[in-house]
Amino acid sequence: MFSLADLCPPSSILLEVPAQTPHSLFEQAACFAERHFGLPAAQVLQKLLDRERIGPTGLGRGIAIPHARVEGLERPALIFIRPVLPVDGETPDGKGLSEFFFLLMPAKATQHHLQALADLAAALHQRDFRQALRAAHTQTAIHRLLATAPLHLNAHTRSLTELES
């Protein structure tokens, strides 16, 4: 069984990020994807914003899961960003957003995208998990916590585009 930590190594956990809007965090996630996954930042940003226009990805309780399927991405990736201060965004409870999980999936990985999103949302709906997340102040501590959340993807070692064809 895999965990969310398999999608989000410590290097993909960004803490104390200066930002005043969700859009600026989306830009930072897109730039990160360009540097670490070789994806054009403009393409990643556009995909994330296109998805956000369909409906906000803020879950409430300070958490958002912006997500997109991206051409050229070979395996799923999760980028965790915690801004210095919570930012305003559309959420069911109207509270500021303090934790962002950017889920990027290969373009053809429709079912895997939905499963990874469901697994992440399930973990984040657990009060103990959210409390532990907020109490974790280092990349290592957050990575260890993500390792406790199961991920029901069975294609971690094979190309997801191969499985979806």
Side-chain angles (χ1 to χ4, degrees):
M1 175 78 53
F2 298 104
S3 71
L4 292 173
D6 294 314
L7 299 185
C8 190
S11 62
S12 293
I13 297 170
L14 311 176
L15 304 174
E16 302 297 318
V17 174
Q20 295 183 1
T21 65
H23 189 274
S24 64
L25 291 170
F26 280 45
E27 289 173 336
Q28 291 190 46
C31 289
F32 181 91
E34 183 172 71
R35 286 190 311 274
H36 290 86
F37 310 125
L39 301 168
Q43 174 194 357
V44 174
L45 178 60
Q46 190 60 53
K47 292 288 186 179
L48 288 167
L49 293 176
D50 288 348
R51 171 54 192 88
E52 200 71 14
R53 281 186 198 97
I54 293 170
T57 55
L59 300 179
R61 298 184 178 108
I63 297 168
I65 309 176
H67 53 96
R69 289 182 287 138
V70 182
E71 292 288 335
L73 186 64
E74 295 191 16
R75 61 185 305 148
L78 185 63
I79 304 164
F80 174 79
I81 299 180
R82 180 182 289 156
V84 174
L85 297 171
V87 297
D88 289 333
E90 270 190 69
T91 61
D93 60 8
K95 294 185 178 180
L97 297 167
S98 53
E99 276 96 18
F100 288 77
F101 287 90
F102 289 88
L103 178 63
L104 304 178
M105 296 294 284
K108 294 183 180 182
T110 308
Q111 286 304 107
H112 293 287
H113 181 174
L114 296 175
Q115 184 62 57
L117 193 56
D119 290 344
L120 180 55
L124 292 168
H125 279 294
Q126 296 175 21
R127 184 177 189 186
D128 291 346
F129 186 87
R130 287 191 317 274
Q131 288 175 336
L133 179 64
R134 296 224 165 83
H137 296 290
T138 67
Q139 292 171 313
T140 303
I142 292 170
H143 188 256
R144 263 193 236 123
L145 178 63
L146 294 176
T148 68
L151 186 64
H152 298 96
L153 294 181
N154 60 7
H156 197 71
T157 57
R158 295 187 288 165
S159 168
L160 288 173
T161 54
E162 175 184 307
L163 290 171
E164 292 290 326
S165 357

